[in-house]
Amino acid sequence: MPGVVLEEPFSIARFHNVIDSSDISKQFTIGLNPLDHSIVATENDETVDDSDLVLVSVQGEGIKLYNTADQKCIKSWTTPPGLVLNGSAIHRVTDSTEYTFALVASGKDIPKKDHNRIIWMWKNGTDNRIAKTLDERIYSMHVSSALSSHIILVNQNGSIVLMNNDLDRTVAKSSTPSSGTVIWSSVFVTTNPHTKPCCVSNSLVPINSTIILTINAHDNSSGRYAIYLHYYNEEQRSIVPLVKAEMVLKDKPVAFTFDPADGRITTLGSGGKWTVWRLKIKQETGRKLVGRLDNQLSTQFQGYQLHSDKLGDVAALAPLSEGYVAMVAPRLKNSKYSAEHVVSIWDVKYGTLQAERILNLADKSACGKDKCIYKISVLSNSHIAITISALVSTVAKDTKKSRAVTDAKSTVILCPFYSEPISLMAAMGRMNSTAKFLGIADDNNNMEQGGVGIIRSDMDALMDENMNDDIFYENWIQTLEQAQKKQDESISMLLKPSINVKTFTSTFFSRVGKKEEYNLPTIETTKSTQAYRNAMAEIQWKGKRVQNFGMSHHFVSSIIRKCFENPGFWPIHVILYLLKIRHIRSGDIDGGILPILVERNEWALVPIVLENVPDIPEVDLVLLLKALLAQGDTSPVESSTREELFKYIIDSPHNDIFMQQALKRLTATEIPRAVELLIWRLENVQLFESSETFFNVIEFTNALLDSHYPVIIMEPTLYEAVNKIQELTLEYTEMADQVDRLRGMLGPFERKQRQNIAQQIKEKLALEQQQQQRKQKQKSSHSHKHSSKSKRRAAAAQHDEQGIPVYRVEIFNF
């Protein structure tokens, strides 16, 4: 199960304009900004939540405020022809007063000495505009939720200025500028560590303080950068330097992100290297603070254009919550002049690709090398906002002279996403797709570096008491190398393109167990779930089975991809055996196991897969549900089978939030059939194996009704069915309360039963020990070896008085 799910993207706006510029690599084209805070009123006096709003700044056209809920422009501010903006505008609402700020780079009527020094501000509308010229050239503007009445200006020389929203008073200014030129800046607010962690401790600065982070490039040293942290001291009304840290980058940086929760800074270089740094602040003697950057992760992207000599920085990054980073960039295809727009989500802890989407535009000519630049921003309503700008340099001719211009076609795209905190399981489940994305997998999608995989630990792994540590280590290494060699030989034989099903099956079982000591049953011609179950039960080894090598994840994932890649190649015995030992994972199969089975009409195998594959995504479960709901009278799936599969869908492991989002894929015609299946599931109370099964049905019902609440309300034919679900739920809830009251009465009987089980286990262990002692006396020649094994078996079989196994941990050193 991935940590992030990207939904289908959609566009909300398109722009086509001409920009006066001879060097587009240094020219701002279009930008996005989420709103700072509060509720915004539209022209019709309707209030709109700012989480649904995004501010779009378009070069040569103006500033527009869009509502992502209905994809409409609710406000706009126009700019005169020839005016050039220097970045994304900012819109905020404070005490019912609206402010819109824009940084002006140049213009026809603006002298060169005032370039990047002028700020335009609109207050409560589009007509009331104020222009403010400052002393220094400005790099960027920021707002802070802790400073609702102020705006922060970061100058190109590293100095910082704090002004009020009306731009008529300077509140604070940093004493001295930082060394070098600012290339990136960000602002965050310190939090209470009891509610939300922060990289800056509240022992260094007060809670709810505004921190300004800037990254400066050294003027006289290529590849060296300095990170400065300043904070606003409200008592002294001054901007105080906090800490400085140094960073060395081999390639020119294209984009940065910063996560204030743990101090992670990510950098994307023009050569494709994505690096994750960790900023640590430590207080040394006195009150001096020292900042240090630790390199935690580094990944090399292959096949992506991140920087262009013609266009400048092409790719873009944006931080997501829960430790993720979103990247948008063009991925070059086989032809170096064709490309596709790709947005991907990466976790900064393990460096795995968690989600990926290809953005399809109507204008196919906009896809290619040196054609597009990208911007990305994250909205608070779980949407990623992306701009794709196709740029073409041309020459405009007027009555007097010709001038160099750039024809820009920009598209604003929204992509909904849902995320959970990254976990090791989610990272491991995305290893294969990450390797493929980074281009470090071969044609068979196997890692170039070989590996046995997971080494099984057991009591037999413990060393012999009389064996020297060095000898034991050498033997362990030798066994490991032999297993690695056997595994590599087996994979190369099984993945041959010319191998047939019979040879594949015999080779697999002969490599996994002793040669020719396995029994494969004959499966009936008419495929049925029961026939598959019977075949799984009959797959066994003759005598004692001895593995040639342990099946690692690398071995199993390579084999299972081979089994499902071609419809004409179907080694059913191998698939059933791997299902029997629960070694198949849906993430190891391109496209997922359920969509492939549905596409190939292998309905008899679906219940077994739902029982034995634990990582089926929620989207695939809903895809199976849609297939069941769409089946007609001529369907190969019987009604009883359909109901059984629906039961498996509800009880399959899944995340409730992701399942609710996946259920939105059901159409209005499928909802009544899904409700009928829910009523059938609730009415058949004998199918509830436990209270957990009942809870699963209730959670699935809530998810379905919540995700399609408007449809259910507007469809009178569903009222009776919904009332029926309510009556059944109340009836079973009351029944569960009555049964729960019996817990106290049955408590003594349960304790007595546990004591009886414990007594039986003690008697059984005593009998086994007596038998072992007799055998030890009879086989004195093997006393040492036998006693060590018997001790291990006895230790593993120990139980306490309650009948609960007691486990022992043994530690040894090489």
Side-chain angles (χ1 to χ4, degrees):
M1 181 184 299
V4 180
V5 172
L6 281 176
E7 293 293 329
E8 190 70 25
F10 58 92
S11 62
I12 63 170
R14 292 182 176 87
F15 303 98
H16 185 191
N17 50 359
V18 177
I19 303 173
D20 290 332
S21 175
S22 58
D23 186 4
I24 193 61
S25 64
K26 299 179 181 179
Q27 184 67 63
F28 167 76
T29 304
I30 188 171
L32 300 168
N33 249 339
L35 258 64
D36 171 49
H37 183 62
S38 86
I39 305 297
V40 176
T42 63
E43 296 177 355
N44 299 327
D45 294 333
E46 297 178 355
T47 58
V48 181
D49 189 356
D50 64 343
S51 63
D52 293 329
L53 300 180
V54 60
L55 191 69
V56 182
S57 305
V58 186
Q59 191 72 277
E61 186 164 337
I63 305 166
K64 299 179 182 295
L65 184 63
Y66 277 89
N67 182 6
T68 61
D70 55 11
Q71 306 173 27
K72 292 182 179 179
C73 178
I74 59 177
K75 288 187 178 181
S76 63
W77 298 263
T78 58
T79 56
L83 186 78
V84 179
L85 300 177
N86 191 37
S88 300
I90 295 176
H91 183 86
R92 73 186 314 184
V93 180
T94 303
D95 298 331
S96 301
T97 304
E98 296 186 25
Y99 295 93
T100 305
F101 303 94
L103 178 58
V104 178
S106 62
K108 294 181 179 180
D109 300 330
I110 299 176
K112 189 174 182 179
K113 65 182 182 65
D114 291 337
H115 286 185
N116 296 311
R117 292 174 53 196
I118 299 176
I119 297 179
W120 280 8
M121 185 268 290
W122 290 268
K123 183 177 179 181
N124 289 333
T126 59
D127 298 330
N128 189 10
R129 190 191 72 194
I130 298 174
K132 178 70 174 181
T133 304
L134 301 181
D135 298 333
E136 303 289 343
R137 298 189 186 276
I138 306 169
Y139 172 77
S140 62
M141 303 180 298
H142 299 278
V143 291
S144 170
S145 58
L147 302 173
S148 59
S149 302
H150 304 82
I151 182 171
I152 302 168
L153 306 177
V154 178
N155 297 326
Q156 295 180 2
N157 62 2
S159 61
I160 301 171
V161 178
L162 184 67
M163 301 189 69
N164 64 342
N165 288 332
D166 292 328
L167 300 179
D168 56 5
R169 182 168 57 92
T170 300
V171 180
K173 185 177 182 180
S174 59
S175 57
T176 56
S178 305
S179 61
T181 304
V182 177
I183 62 172
W184 190 77
S185 61
S186 179
V187 169
F188 66 96
V189 178
T190 58
T191 56
N192 190 330
H194 299 291
T195 58
K196 184 179 179 181
C198 184
C199 62
V200 179
S201 172
N202 58 358
S203 62
L204 304 179
V205 297
I207 299 176
N208 206 32
S209 296
T210 299
I211 307 290
I212 303 100
L213 182 147
T214 61
I215 299 180
N216 296 15
H218 287 287
D219 295 333
N220 301 323
S221 178
S222 61
R224 297 188 62 85
Y225 301 87
I227 298 176
Y228 293 92
L229 266 69
H230 296 74
Y231 82 96
Y232 174 60
N233 190 323
E234 293 191 27
E235 295 181 354
Q236 301 178 2
R237 290 186 175 274
S238 62
I239 298 176
V240 182
L242 184 64
V243 73
K244 174 186 176 182
E246 294 289 338
M247 178 172 56
V248 178
L249 299 176
K250 182 179 179 181
D251 299 324
K252 178 185 180 298
V254 174
F256 299 89
T257 67
F258 176 71
D259 186 357
D262 52 10
R264 281 193 174 96
I265 298 176
T266 68
T267 61
L268 181 63
S270 58
K273 188 175 184 180
W274 178 59
T275 308
V276 179
W277 310 79
R278 184 74 174 270
L279 176 63
K280 295 183 179 179
I281 302 174
K282 183 174 65 173
Q283 188 170 7
E284 292 188 344
T285 56
R287 302 182 63 181
K288 182 180 179 181
L289 298 180
V290 177
R292 188 180 79 248
L293 276 181
D294 294 337
N295 189 337
Q296 290 196 325
L297 181 67
S298 182
T299 300
Q300 183 68 37
F301 293 152
Q302 302 287 346
Y304 292 82
Q305 185 182 20
L306 308 178
H307 181 81
S308 170
D309 295 336
K310 177 182 177 182
L311 304 179
D313 296 337
V314 174
L317 295 179
L320 277 68
S321 59
E322 312 294 356
Y324 299 99
V325 168
M327 182 186 78
V328 58
R331 178 163 57 195
L332 304 179
K333 296 183 179 180
N334 296 332
S335 174
K336 64 179 181 179
Y337 296 105
S338 62
E340 55 188 2
H341 315 291
V342 180
V343 56
S344 55
I345 308 295
W346 297 78
D347 79 271
V348 298
K349 188 174 183 180
Y350 303 103
T352 57
L353 173 66
Q354 289 295 311
E356 176 189 7
R357 275 283 183 181
I358 297 177
L359 307 176
N360 296 316
L361 300 183
D363 186 8
K364 300 300 180 182
S365 62
C367 299
K369 186 178 181 181
D370 293 336
K371 288 187 176 181
C372 297
I373 60 174
Y374 303 80
K375 298 293 181 182
I376 187 170
S377 182
V378 180
L379 309 183
S380 56
N381 62 347
S382 296
H383 281 70
I384 297 176
I386 302 168
T387 63
I388 303 176
S389 300
L391 306 177
V392 178
S393 298
T394 182
V395 176
K397 296 181 180 180
D398 51 24
T399 57
K400 295 184 179 181
K401 60 179 181 178
S402 300
R403 68 184 192 280
V405 297
T406 300
D407 185 76
K409 296 180 180 180
S410 302
T411 304
V412 181
I413 299 174
L414 292 183
C415 186
F417 73 96
Y418 312 96
S419 63
E420 283 199 340
I422 185 63
S423 63
L424 178 60
M425 186 64 67
M428 293 180 64
R430 304 293 296 179
M431 288 297 182
N432 289 330
S433 58
T434 303
K436 185 177 181 181
F437 187 95
L438 296 176
I440 56 176
D442 57 20
D443 294 336
N444 294 321
N445 201 22
N446 299 324
M447 297 297 293
E448 294 176 352
Q449 296 83 3
V452 170
I454 299 175
I455 304 301
R456 301 177 184 272
S457 60
D458 195 68
M459 297 297 291
D460 294 335
L462 299 176
M463 72 177 85
D464 197 327
E465 296 175 356
N466 299 326
M467 184 179 293
N468 183 271
D469 292 353
D470 295 335
I471 298 176
F472 176 82
Y473 180 72
E474 291 177 0
N475 292 343
W476 182 76
I477 290 295
Q478 185 178 3
T479 304
L480 188 65
E481 291 177 349
Q482 292 175 355
Q484 177 67 70
K485 183 178 180 181
K486 290 180 180 179
Q487 176 182 267
D488 294 341
E489 292 175 353
S490 301
I491 291 178
S492 62
M493 292 182 61
L494 292 169
L495 298 185
K496 288 182 178 179
S498 60
I499 194 170
N500 55 36
V501 173
K502 184 177 180 181
T503 307
F504 180 88
T505 304
S506 60
T507 304
F508 172 82
F509 283 102
S510 63
R511 290 278 169 168
V512 172
K514 276 189 173 181
K515 189 176 182 180
E516 302 300 337
E517 290 205 5
Y518 55 89
N519 181 31
L520 297 181
T522 303
I523 301 177
E524 300 176 5
T525 306
T526 56
K527 300 177 182 179
S528 66
T529 302
Q530 189 57 43
Y532 285 147
R533 295 187 192 277
N534 295 337
M536 291 174 63
E538 295 176 10
I539 296 177
Q540 57 185 354
W541 267 258
K542 302 174 184 178
K544 185 177 180 180
R545 175 194 170 203
V546 179
Q547 281 188 329
N548 286 336
F549 56 84
M551 289 193 295
S552 68
H553 178 266
H554 172 58
F555 175 80
V556 174
S557 61
S558 303
I559 299 307
I560 202 62
R561 277 193 295 270
K562 175 72 173 179
C563 296
F564 283 88
E565 68 180 1
N566 187 359
F569 184 84
W570 192 242
I572 188 62
H573 290 96
V574 176
I575 295 174
L576 292 177
Y577 173 70
L578 293 175
L579 284 171
K580 179 180 180 180
I581 61 177
R582 299 178 67 88
H583 273 26
I584 292 182
R585 295 295 180 267
S586 180
D588 295 335
I589 304 169
D590 293 336
I593 188 171
L594 271 186
I596 292 178
L597 294 179
V598 172
E599 181 182 357
R600 300 180 185 178
N601 288 324
E602 288 286 345
W603 292 98
L605 200 59
V606 172
I608 302 175
V609 168
L610 292 172
E611 288 178 351
N612 298 284
V613 180
D615 69 329
I616 298 177
E618 292 78 2
V619 175
D620 290 355
L621 293 174
V622 174
L623 177 66
L624 174 62
L625 177 60
K626 290 173 67 70
L628 296 177
L629 298 177
Q631 298 294 336
D633 298 334
T634 60
S635 167
V637 182
E638 299 178 356
S639 177
S640 58
T641 306
R642 185 181 298 109
E643 294 168 349
E644 180 186 7
L645 291 178
F646 182 68
K647 172 180 173 292
Y648 280 120
I649 291 174
I650 294 178
D651 295 335
S652 294
H654 60 262
N655 179 278
D656 294 336
I657 297 177
F658 286 178
M659 176 59 78
Q660 180 175 343
Q661 300 300 329
L663 285 172
K664 292 182 179 179
R665 298 170 179 264
L666 295 179
T667 62
T669 57
E670 294 169 340
I671 294 175
R673 302 175 190 174
V675 172
E676 291 176 3
L677 284 176
L678 279 174
I679 295 176
W680 167 85
R681 188 73 178 93
L682 289 169
E683 288 179 341
N684 290 269
V685 67
Q686 70 276 7
L687 298 179
F688 293 145
E689 294 85 356
S690 62
S691 58
E692 183 179 356
T693 307
F694 174 68
F695 293 148
N696 292 339
V697 177
I698 297 300
E699 292 294 338
F700 189 88
T701 305
N702 291 335
L704 178 63
L705 297 181
D706 290 343
S707 58
H708 293 281
Y709 182 76
V711 177
I712 296 173
I713 292 298
M714 299 299 294
E715 185 57 46
T717 58
L718 291 176
Y719 291 174
E720 184 178 354
V722 174
N723 290 333
K724 181 67 174 178
I725 292 177
Q726 182 184 14
E727 294 173 359
L728 292 172
T729 304
L730 293 175
E731 178 183 349
Y732 293 144
T733 303
E734 184 179 356
M735 187 185 305
D737 292 339
Q738 294 176 358
V739 174
D740 189 70
R741 297 190 187 101
L742 299 176
R743 188 187 302 273
M745 299 175 58
L746 298 176
F749 298 97
E750 184 181 2
R751 288 192 295 271
K752 184 66 175 177
Q753 186 181 17
R754 289 203 303 265
Q755 293 174 0
N756 292 337
I757 294 175
Q759 185 64 29
Q760 293 175 4
I761 292 175
K762 286 183 178 179
E763 295 175 356
K764 183 178 179 180
L765 288 175
L767 182 61
E768 289 181 355
Q769 289 177 357
Q770 293 176 3
Q771 294 176 353
Q772 291 174 0
Q773 291 175 0
R774 295 193 193 100
K775 292 180 180 179
Q776 287 177 358
K777 294 178 181 179
Q778 296 174 0
K779 300 180 180 180
S780 58
S781 59
H782 304 284
S783 60
H784 175 72
K785 180 178 179 180
H786 185 78
S787 62
S788 61
K789 289 186 177 180
S790 63
K791 288 179 182 178
R792 287 198 290 264
R793 283 196 295 268
Q798 285 181 358
H799 292 72
D800 67 355
E801 295 180 356
Q802 300 299 326
I804 301 174
V806 176
Y807 295 92
R808 178 180 62 185
V809 177
E810 296 189 28
I811 302 175
F812 62 95
N813 297 320
F814 292 112

